[in-house]
CSV table of all heavy atoms in Angstrom, one decimal:
chain,number,residue,atom,x,y,z
A,27,GLY,N,19.4,52.4,-109.6
A,27,GLY,CA,18.7,51.6,-108.6
A,27,GLY,C,19.0,51.9,-107.2
A,27,GLY,O,18.5,51.1,-106.3
A,28,VAL,N,19.8,52.9,-106.9
A,28,VAL,CA,20.2,53.2,-105.5
A,28,VAL,C,19.6,54.6,-105.2
A,28,VAL,O,20.1,55.6,-105.8
A,28,VAL,CB,21.7,53.1,-105.3
A,28,VAL,CG1,22.0,53.5,-103.8
A,28,VAL,CG2,22.2,51.7,-105.6
A,29,TYR,N,18.7,54.7,-104.3
A,29,TYR,CA,18.1,56.0,-103.9
A,29,TYR,C,18.4,56.4,-102.5
A,29,TYR,O,18.4,55.5,-101.6
A,29,TYR,CB,16.6,55.8,-104.1
A,29,TYR,CG,16.2,55.4,-105.5
A,29,TYR,CD1,16.2,54.1,-105.9
A,29,TYR,CD2,15.8,56.4,-106.5
A,29,TYR,CE1,15.8,53.8,-107.2
A,29,TYR,CE2,15.5,56.0,-107.7
A,29,TYR,CZ,15.5,54.7,-108.1
A,29,TYR,OH,15.2,54.3,-109.4
A,30,VAL,N,18.6,57.6,-102.2
A,30,VAL,CA,18.8,58.2,-100.8
A,30,VAL,C,18.0,59.3,-100.5
A,30,VAL,O,17.6,60.1,-101.4
A,30,VAL,CB,20.4,58.5,-100.6
A,30,VAL,CG1,21.2,57.3,-100.8
A,30,VAL,CG2,20.8,59.6,-101.5
A,31,GLY,N,17.8,59.5,-99.3
A,31,GLY,CA,16.9,60.6,-98.8
A,31,GLY,C,16.9,60.7,-97.3
A,31,GLY,O,17.5,59.9,-96.6
A,32,ASN,N,16.3,61.7,-96.8
A,32,ASN,CA,16.1,61.9,-95.3
A,32,ASN,C,14.7,62.3,-95.0
A,32,ASN,O,14.4,63.5,-95.2
A,32,ASN,CB,17.1,63.0,-94.9
A,32,ASN,CG,17.3,63.0,-93.4
A,32,ASN,OD1,16.9,62.0,-92.7
A,32,ASN,ND2,17.9,64.1,-92.9
A,33,TYR,N,13.9,61.3,-94.6
A,33,TYR,CA,12.5,61.6,-94.3
A,33,TYR,C,12.1,61.0,-93.0
A,33,TYR,O,12.8,60.2,-92.3
A,33,TYR,CB,11.6,60.9,-95.4
A,33,TYR,CG,11.7,61.7,-96.7
A,33,TYR,CD1,12.4,61.2,-97.7
A,33,TYR,CD2,11.0,62.7,-97.0
A,33,TYR,CE1,12.5,61.8,-99.0
A,33,TYR,CE2,11.0,63.4,-98.1
A,33,TYR,CZ,11.8,62.9,-99.1
A,33,TYR,OH,11.8,63.6,-100.3
A,34,SER,N,10.9,61.5,-92.5
A,34,SER,CA,10.4,61.0,-91.2
A,34,SER,C,10.0,59.5,-91.4
A,34,SER,O,9.9,58.9,-92.4
A,34,SER,CB,9.1,61.8,-90.9
A,34,SER,OG,8.1,61.5,-91.8
A,35,ARG,N,9.7,58.9,-90.2
A,35,ARG,CA,9.3,57.5,-90.2
A,35,ARG,C,8.0,57.3,-91.0
A,35,ARG,O,7.9,56.3,-91.8
A,35,ARG,CB,9.1,57.1,-88.8
A,35,ARG,CG,8.6,55.7,-88.7
A,35,ARG,CD,8.3,55.3,-87.2
A,35,ARG,NE,7.7,53.9,-87.2
A,35,ARG,CZ,7.4,53.3,-86.1
A,35,ARG,NH1,7.6,53.9,-84.9
A,35,ARG,NH2,6.9,52.1,-86.1
A,36,ARG,N,7.1,58.2,-90.9
A,36,ARG,CA,5.8,58.0,-91.6
A,36,ARG,C,6.0,58.1,-93.1
A,36,ARG,O,5.4,57.3,-93.9
A,36,ARG,CB,4.9,59.2,-91.2
A,36,ARG,CG,3.6,59.1,-91.7
A,36,ARG,CD,2.7,60.2,-91.2
A,36,ARG,NE,1.3,60.2,-91.9
A,36,ARG,CZ,0.4,61.0,-91.6
A,36,ARG,NH1,0.6,62.0,-90.7
A,36,ARG,NH2,-0.7,60.9,-92.3
A,37,THR,N,6.8,59.0,-93.6
A,37,THR,CA,7.1,59.1,-95.0
A,37,THR,C,7.9,57.9,-95.5
A,37,THR,O,7.6,57.3,-96.6
A,37,THR,CB,7.8,60.4,-95.4
A,37,THR,OG1,7.1,61.5,-94.8
A,37,THR,CG2,8.0,60.6,-96.9
A,38,ARG,N,8.8,57.5,-94.7
A,38,ARG,CA,9.7,56.3,-95.1
A,38,ARG,C,8.8,55.1,-95.3
A,38,ARG,O,8.9,54.3,-96.2
A,38,ARG,CB,10.7,56.0,-94.0
A,38,ARG,CG,11.6,54.8,-94.3
A,38,ARG,CD,12.5,54.4,-93.2
A,38,ARG,NE,11.8,53.8,-92.1
A,38,ARG,CZ,11.8,54.2,-90.8
A,38,ARG,NH1,12.5,55.2,-90.5
A,38,ARG,NH2,11.1,53.5,-89.9
A,39,GLU,N,7.8,54.9,-94.4
A,39,GLU,CA,7.0,53.7,-94.4
A,39,GLU,C,6.0,53.8,-95.6
A,39,GLU,O,5.7,52.8,-96.2
A,39,GLU,CB,6.2,53.6,-93.1
A,39,GLU,CG,7.0,53.1,-92.0
A,39,GLU,CD,6.4,53.2,-90.6
A,39,GLU,OE1,5.2,53.7,-90.5
A,39,GLU,OE2,7.0,52.6,-89.6
A,40,MET,N,5.5,55.0,-96.0
A,40,MET,CA,4.7,55.2,-97.1
A,40,MET,C,5.5,54.9,-98.4
A,40,MET,O,5.0,54.2,-99.3
A,40,MET,CB,4.2,56.7,-97.2
A,40,MET,CG,3.3,57.0,-98.4
A,40,MET,SD,4.1,57.5,-99.9
A,40,MET,CE,5.1,58.9,-99.4
A,41,ILE,N,6.7,55.4,-98.5
A,41,ILE,CA,7.5,55.0,-99.7
A,41,ILE,C,7.8,53.6,-99.8
A,41,ILE,O,7.6,53.0,-100.8
A,41,ILE,CB,8.9,55.8,-99.6
A,41,ILE,CG1,8.6,57.3,-99.7
A,41,ILE,CG2,9.8,55.3,-100.7
A,41,ILE,CD1,9.9,58.2,-99.5
A,42,TRP,N,8.1,52.9,-98.6
A,42,TRP,CA,8.4,51.5,-98.6
A,42,TRP,C,7.1,50.7,-99.0
A,42,TRP,O,7.2,49.6,-99.7
A,42,TRP,CB,9.0,51.0,-97.3
A,42,TRP,CG,9.4,49.6,-97.3
A,42,TRP,CD1,9.0,48.6,-96.5
A,42,TRP,CD2,10.4,49.0,-98.1
A,42,TRP,NE1,9.7,47.5,-96.7
A,42,TRP,CE2,10.5,47.7,-97.7
A,42,TRP,CE3,11.2,49.5,-99.2
A,42,TRP,CZ2,11.4,46.8,-98.4
A,42,TRP,CZ3,12.1,48.6,-99.8
A,42,TRP,CH2,12.2,47.2,-99.3
A,43,SER,N,6.0,51.1,-98.5
A,43,SER,CA,4.7,50.4,-98.9
A,43,SER,C,4.5,50.4,-100.4
A,43,SER,O,4.0,49.5,-101.0
A,43,SER,CB,3.6,50.9,-98.1
A,43,SER,OG,3.2,52.2,-98.6
A,44,GLN,N,4.9,51.5,-101.1
A,44,GLN,CA,4.7,51.6,-102.5
A,44,GLN,C,5.7,50.7,-103.2
A,44,GLN,O,5.4,50.1,-104.2
A,44,GLN,CB,4.9,53.1,-103.0
A,44,GLN,CG,3.8,54.0,-102.6
A,44,GLN,CD,4.0,55.4,-103.0
A,44,GLN,OE1,4.9,55.7,-103.9
A,44,GLN,NE2,3.2,56.3,-102.6
A,45,VAL,N,6.9,50.6,-102.7
A,45,VAL,CA,7.9,49.7,-103.2
A,45,VAL,C,7.4,48.3,-103.1
A,45,VAL,O,7.5,47.5,-104.1
A,45,VAL,CB,9.3,49.8,-102.5
A,45,VAL,CG1,10.2,48.8,-103.0
A,45,VAL,CG2,9.9,51.2,-102.8
A,46,ARG,N,6.9,47.9,-101.9
A,46,ARG,CA,6.4,46.5,-101.8
A,46,ARG,C,5.2,46.2,-102.7
A,46,ARG,O,5.1,45.0,-103.2
A,46,ARG,CB,6.0,46.3,-100.3
A,46,ARG,CG,7.2,46.4,-99.4
A,46,ARG,CD,6.8,46.1,-97.9
A,46,ARG,NE,6.3,44.8,-97.7
A,46,ARG,CZ,7.1,43.8,-97.3
A,46,ARG,NH1,8.4,44.1,-97.0
A,46,ARG,NH2,6.6,42.6,-97.1
A,47,GLU,N,4.4,47.1,-103.0
A,47,GLU,CA,3.2,46.9,-103.8
A,47,GLU,C,3.6,46.8,-105.3
A,47,GLU,O,3.0,46.1,-106.1
A,47,GLU,CB,2.2,48.0,-103.7
A,47,GLU,CG,1.5,48.0,-102.3
A,47,GLU,CD,0.6,49.3,-102.1
A,47,GLU,OE1,0.4,50.0,-103.1
A,47,GLU,OE2,0.2,49.4,-101.0
A,48,GLU,N,4.6,47.5,-105.7
A,48,GLU,CA,5.0,47.7,-107.1
A,48,GLU,C,6.2,47.0,-107.6
A,48,GLU,O,6.6,47.1,-108.8
A,48,GLU,CB,5.0,49.1,-107.5
A,48,GLU,CG,3.7,49.9,-107.3
A,48,GLU,CD,3.8,51.3,-107.7
A,48,GLU,OE1,4.7,51.7,-108.4
A,48,GLU,OE2,2.9,52.2,-107.1
A,49,ILE,N,6.9,46.2,-106.7
A,49,ILE,CA,8.2,45.6,-107.1
A,49,ILE,C,8.1,44.5,-108.1
A,49,ILE,O,9.0,44.2,-108.8
A,49,ILE,CB,9.0,45.1,-105.8
A,49,ILE,CG1,10.4,44.9,-106.2
A,49,ILE,CG2,8.3,43.9,-105.3
A,49,ILE,CD1,11.2,46.1,-106.6
A,50,GLU,N,6.9,43.9,-108.2
A,50,GLU,CA,6.6,42.8,-109.2
A,50,GLU,C,7.7,41.7,-109.1
A,50,GLU,O,7.8,41.1,-108.0
A,50,GLU,CB,6.6,43.3,-110.7
A,50,GLU,CG,5.4,44.3,-110.8
A,50,GLU,CD,5.3,44.8,-112.3
A,50,GLU,OE1,6.1,44.5,-113.1
A,50,GLU,OE2,4.4,45.7,-112.5
A,51,ASP,N,8.5,41.4,-110.1
A,51,ASP,CA,9.5,40.3,-110.1
A,51,ASP,C,10.8,40.7,-109.6
A,51,ASP,O,11.7,39.9,-109.6
A,51,ASP,CB,9.6,39.7,-111.5
A,51,ASP,CG,8.3,39.0,-112.0
A,51,ASP,OD1,7.5,38.5,-111.1
A,51,ASP,OD2,8.1,39.0,-113.2
A,52,GLY,N,10.9,42.0,-109.3
A,52,GLY,CA,12.2,42.5,-108.8
A,52,GLY,C,12.4,42.3,-107.3
A,52,GLY,O,11.7,41.5,-106.7
A,53,ASP,N,13.4,42.9,-106.8
A,53,ASP,CA,13.6,42.8,-105.3
A,53,ASP,C,14.2,44.1,-104.9
A,53,ASP,O,14.7,44.9,-105.6
A,53,ASP,CB,14.6,41.6,-104.9
A,53,ASP,CG,16.0,41.9,-105.5
A,53,ASP,OD1,16.8,42.5,-104.8
A,53,ASP,OD2,16.3,41.4,-106.6
A,54,ALA,N,14.0,44.4,-103.6
A,54,ALA,CA,14.5,45.7,-103.0
A,54,ALA,C,14.9,45.6,-101.5
A,54,ALA,O,14.5,44.6,-100.8
A,54,ALA,CB,13.3,46.7,-103.1
Side-chain angles (χ1 to χ4, degrees):
V28 180
Y29 301 85
V30 297
N32 192 15
Y33 287 101
S34 68
R35 176 182 177 181
R36 183 176 177 183
T37 305
R38 179 187 75 234
E39 289 173 352
M40 180 273 303
I41 293 169
W42 186 238
S43 71
Q44 291 181 11
V45 171
R46 294 179 71 91
E47 289 172 11
E48 298 181 21
I49 195 65
E50 295 178 3
D51 294 331
D53 64 90

